Amino acid sequence: MVHGRAADAAQIDQVRRFNRTVTERVGVLHDHYLGRDRPIGEARLLWEIGERGQDVRRLRERLGLDSGYVSRLLRSLEAEGLVSVEPQPRDRRVRTARLTAAGRAERAVLDGRSNELAGSLLAPLNAAQRDRLVAAMAEVDRLLTAATVTLDAVDPDHPDARHCLRSYSAELQKRFETGFDAALSLLPDPGELRPPHGLFLVARLHGEPVGCAGLKLPPGAPAEIKRMWVAPHARRLGLGRRFLAELEERAARHGRDVLRLDTNKALDAALGLYRSFGFQEVAAFNDEPYAHHWFEKRITGPLQE
Amino acid sequence: MVHGRAADAAQIDQVRRFNRTVTERVGVLHDHYLGRDRPIGEARLLWEIGERGQDVRRLRERLGLDSGYVSRLLRSLEAEGLVSVEPQPRDRRVRTARLTAAGRAERAVLDGRSNELAGSLLAPLNAAQRDRLVAAMAEVDRLLTAATVTLDAVDPDHPDARHCLRSYSAELQKRFETGFDAALSLLPDPGELRPPHGLFLVARLHGEPVGCAGLKLPPGAPAEIKRMWVAPHARRLGLGRRFLAELEERAARHGRDVLRLDTNKALDAALGLYRSFGFQEVAAFNDEPYAHHWFEKRITGPLQE
DNA sequence: CCCATTCTCTGACTAAAGTCAGAGAATGGT
DNA sequence: ACCATTCTCTGACTTTAGTCAGAGAATGGG
């Protein structure tokens, strides 16, 4: 990964101090408030089921727990009358857990305690300190979230890839003045975005696909970025830049020394990103009907001895 | 407490999001790294014993564990040859745990893993994001630490109070051009800083005294702040301001409408604090030989219906 | 319709984490 | 010298938090 250079010692140190303070302060209080009369396993489950219910397999996935264990926890919550579990109508192997009225009440209690906990962290501070703490927390939150996003090369037919591509088309449809009709656009045919003539990256946050980017590697020609998209709720995490860096590195690894792309004028954030990432605007190199701008960047090949 | 007003809902919300992200990301990784081949109870203990050893009772206190449990953990570490436990010479009921050479090596392994953990949080980020994350972490760390400091009224003869007063004198001795001789200064006699004619506050961080401030409440005269001091490692946490706010409130509660103090020109940070807290410089109201500045603040009495 | 797969559940375990009630050695104050 | 207190330890527990192997129902593709 192009970003994966080692952090320096002072940074490591500060992160460790942070971890210590936070696990002490937040961790201790967390258990104190949440686990007051119920094992935290159950409390977490109750929380994760949520107001609208959840499939058992999603619960397992979200909490990272063994299927037998989750099943047992659900039995215990059922016995307390807090939860009911029923087969999903569409696929009767899957079962859906829902909160009963009592379960909802119990969840509200947990909710209240979480608020108490949050309040107790802020309480000893004055208004100015609070503002600064909350702002710094938002920043940490945002950047740690950014750091949990994974980038993987997948086949463009993978369900996560298809999901992103559908969202991509839907968004263009909404944002382009003229709408967007995939049939009119210069779509790379599927083979162009899979090895050996290309690749397709999917970004995932907690397992959910939240962005994609394709790279065409036509033999003997510049590499070309296609269909880069980031889900609205995953924006402002530096994901676009991370895609570009990753694609640039991969293009270089495949021996290309030029990376290019085309884009529509409606995508103003993307235009800014390309420029700040070192792309230069060039003359049209294709006749994509939806493009208004064409960009190119000279990249360094893989290091040689 | 004067700072203890309720935080607003948006702040509470952000704190909760933060707690969630951090416990997921830091918590999970923490256990993953530290508990790799050893129960985390033992790992924490090994860590807490430290290079120089620790009394068993301090360990219990720091980790908040049952005495039987700690004893058992120590037995297990002893059996592995990582720790030796011996009676303290001064009080043979108390026992001190020390790391053996093997224990020190094991602790170094844990240390390395903590570094890995910290590194793994930063690894997916680019340099700019890292800088911002580390800065935000430092801010959170600092403010959460500030929030764990407690302020309590104690008798000026309490060991914690005496500790602070000794440190206070030692610091003045070092910082005043002329040195500081307590015998020449207008020392409030002990009775003046305990009820009903005064009070004495001690600030504590993790049980350690880290600051103090006295308030004289002479009958029918303005309240007067004396001997305010914050330990060097607890500075920049807004503690001075917190002392002032607390003393102001207590003075008001005792019906005073003027708060005053004198100070030496060498204490520049304190001078700035007093001014920014609303104190006005006034003519000398006493003949303290070490004072160069006298300040006064008009305060509001307790609310009346 | 058959068969491989998916999903949840149960039974049978294990390890970690902790609690509780004393026992026995040291200590400090009187 | 005596006694209450402090400190650590041991034995006997419990609860929490899992893991693992397989059984049985439902589904989907051929």
Side-chain angles (χ1 to χ4, degrees):
Chain A
M1 241 191 314
V2 79
H3 296 113
R5 316 213 187 292
D8 71 45
Q11 290 184 320
I12 296 274
D13 240 52
Q14 177 55 59
V15 173
R16 288 186 61 176
R17 261 198 307 283
F18 170 87
N19 288 354
R20 235 187 138 118
T21 306
V22 161
T23 49
E24 262 181 37
R25 183 80 178 138
V26 176
V28 169
L29 287 174
H30 180 264
D31 295 359
H32 172 72
Y33 278 92
L34 252 65
R36 212 134 53 176
D37 36 38
R38 173 179 313 290
I40 42 165
E42 287 185 17
R44 286 209 299 158
L45 199 53
L46 210 48
W47 189 258
E48 207 61 48
I49 290 170
E51 289 302 320
R52 349 187 46 201
Q54 267 298 343
D55 293 351
V56 172
R57 72 163 151 195
R58 299 262 315 146
L59 291 173
R60 215 162 44 217
E61 202 173 279
R62 301 272 292 234
L63 298 171
L65 300 176
D66 174 86
S67 81
Y69 187 35
V70 168
S71 181
R72 220 174 301 280
L73 287 173
L74 284 172
R75 255 6 90 233
S76 145
L77 290 171
E78 234 176 1
E80 293 180 81
L82 302 176
V83 158
S84 72
V85 182
E86 277 164 27
Q88 210 194 56
R90 302 185 40 170
D91 179 345
R92 300 179 46 79
R93 288 170 305 184
V94 179
R95 312 233 295 159
T96 304
R98 270 176 234 292
L99 297 179
T100 62
R104 253 186 286 275
E106 188 62 23
R107 188 165 180 278
V109 171
L110 292 181
D111 194 46
R113 288 193 192 154
S114 270
N115 283 340
E116 269 180 64
L117 161 58
S120 80
L121 289 175
L122 296 176
L125 301 175
N126 64 40
Q129 287 177 311
R130 277 184 202 178
D131 288 346
R132 271 182 288 137
L133 179 56
V134 170
M137 282 179 162
E139 180 94 341
V140 169
D141 184 21
R142 200 173 63 78
L143 289 163
L144 282 186
T145 301
T148 61
V149 173
T150 58
L151 254 48
D152 305 290
V154 303
D155 191 280
D157 269 341
H158 185 287
D160 287 349
R162 300 176 76 104
H163 167 85
C164 288
L165 289 171
R166 267 196 310 279
S167 309
Y168 167 80
S169 291
E171 175 153 2
L172 297 190
Q173 168 70 32
K174 239 190 314 185
R175 293 185 60 178
F176 289 1
E177 296 171 345
T178 58
F180 177 72
D181 178 355
L184 297 179
S185 172
L186 285 186
L187 278 175
D189 80 62
E192 284 183 296
L193 295 182
R194 62 167 63 99
H197 298 305
L199 57 91
F200 196 76
L201 298 179
V202 164
R204 296 192 181 94
L205 176 58
H206 304 309
E208 298 287 322
V210 295
C212 65
L215 186 67
K216 269 170 61 178
L217 293 165
E224 191 179 341
I225 295 177
K226 301 299 286 181
R227 299 159 160 231
M228 187 164 115
W229 173 79
V230 175
H233 68 275
R235 286 173 196 171
R236 320 256 352 121
L237 297 178
L239 211 47
R241 189 166 288 270
R242 207 165 141 200
F243 269 130
L244 292 180
E246 182 74 23
L247 292 179
E248 174 176 332
E249 197 190 79
R250 286 175 183 257
R253 230 187 287 150
H254 284 85
R256 302 306 195 283
D257 51 10
V258 171
L259 191 56
R260 61 193 196 180
L261 59 88
D262 61 67
T263 192
N264 185 286
K265 67 182 176 191
L267 306 174
D268 43 342
L271 287 170
L273 170 62
Y274 300 140
R275 290 206 176 90
S276 87
F277 197 73
F279 278 90
Q280 309 283 338
E281 187 146 9
V282 295
F285 54 76
N286 65 16
D287 47 5
E288 165 63 49
Y290 289 107
H292 298 104
H293 301 276
W294 288 259
F295 288 95
E296 205 172 277
K297 183 182 183 183
R298 183 148 291 276
I299 62 181
T300 50
L303 291 180
Q304 325 239 340
E305 319 258 330
Chain B
M1 239 191 315
V2 80
H3 297 115
R5 315 216 186 290
D8 71 45
Q11 290 185 320
I12 295 274
D13 240 53
Q14 177 56 59
V15 173
R16 287 186 61 176
R17 262 200 304 284
F18 170 87
N19 287 354
R20 238 186 135 117
T21 306
V22 162
T23 49
E24 261 181 38
R25 184 84 178 135
V26 177
V28 168
L29 286 174
H30 180 263
D31 294 0
H32 172 73
Y33 278 93
L34 251 64
R36 212 135 52 177
D37 36 38
R38 174 180 312 289
I40 43 166
E42 287 185 16
R44 287 210 298 158
L45 199 53
L46 211 47
W47 189 259
E48 207 62 48
I49 290 170
E51 289 302 322
R52 347 186 48 201
Q54 267 298 343
D55 292 352
V56 172
R57 72 163 151 197
R58 297 260 320 146
L59 291 173
R60 216 160 46 217
E61 201 174 278
R62 300 272 292 235
L63 299 170
L65 299 175
D66 174 85
S67 79
Y69 187 33
V70 168
S71 181
R72 219 174 302 281
L73 287 173
L74 285 172
R75 252 10 87 230
S76 144
L77 289 171
E78 234 175 1
E80 292 181 80
L82 303 176
V83 158
S84 72
V85 182
E86 276 164 29
Q88 211 193 56
R90 303 185 39 169
D91 180 343
R92 300 179 46 79
R93 289 171 304 183
V94 179
R95 310 233 294 159
T96 304
R98 269 177 234 290
L99 296 179
T100 62
R104 251 185 286 276
E106 188 62 23
R107 188 166 180 276
V109 171
L110 294 181
D111 193 47
R113 288 194 190 154
S114 270
N115 282 340
E116 270 180 65
L117 162 57
S120 80
L121 289 175
L122 295 176
L125 301 176
N126 64 40
Q129 288 177 311
R130 276 183 202 179
D131 288 346
R132 272 182 288 138
L133 179 56
V134 170
M137 282 178 161
E139 181 93 340
V140 169
D141 183 23
R142 201 173 61 77
L143 288 162
L144 282 186
T145 301
T148 61
V149 173
T150 58
L151 253 50
D152 305 289
V154 303
D155 191 279
D157 270 341
H158 186 287
D160 286 350
R162 299 175 76 104
H163 166 86
C164 289
L165 289 169
R166 266 196 311 277
S167 309
Y168 166 81
S169 290
E171 175 154 2
L172 296 190
Q173 167 71 32
K174 240 192 312 189
R175 292 186 59 179
F176 289 0
E177 297 172 345
T178 58
F180 177 73
D181 178 356
L184 298 179
S185 172
L186 286 185
L187 279 174
D189 79 62
E192 282 182 296
L193 296 182
R194 61 167 65 99
H197 298 306
L199 56 92
F200 195 76
L201 297 179
V202 164
R204 295 191 182 95
L205 176 58
H206 304 307
E208 298 287 322
V210 295
C212 65
L215 186 68
K216 270 170 60 178
L217 292 164
E224 191 179 340
I225 294 177
K226 300 299 286 181
R227 297 158 163 232
M228 186 164 115
W229 173 79
V230 174
H233 68 277
R235 286 174 194 170
R236 321 261 349 126
L237 298 178
L239 212 49
R241 189 167 288 270
R242 206 164 141 201
F243 269 130
L244 292 181
E246 183 74 23
L247 292 178
E248 174 177 332
E249 196 191 81
R250 287 174 182 257
R253 229 187 287 150
H254 284 86
R256 304 306 195 282
D257 51 10
V258 171
L259 189 57
R260 63 193 195 180
L261 60 88
D262 61 66
T263 190
N264 185 287
K265 66 181 176 192
L267 306 175
D268 43 342
L271 287 169
L273 171 63
Y274 299 141
R275 291 204 174 91
S276 87
F277 197 73
F279 278 90
Q280 309 283 336
E281 187 146 9
V282 295
F285 53 76
N286 66 17
D287 47 6
E288 164 63 50
Y290 289 106
H292 300 104
H293 302 275
W294 289 259
F295 287 95
E296 205 171 278
K297 183 183 183 183
R298 184 148 292 277
I299 60 182
T300 49
L303 292 179
Q304 324 239 342
E305 318 260 327

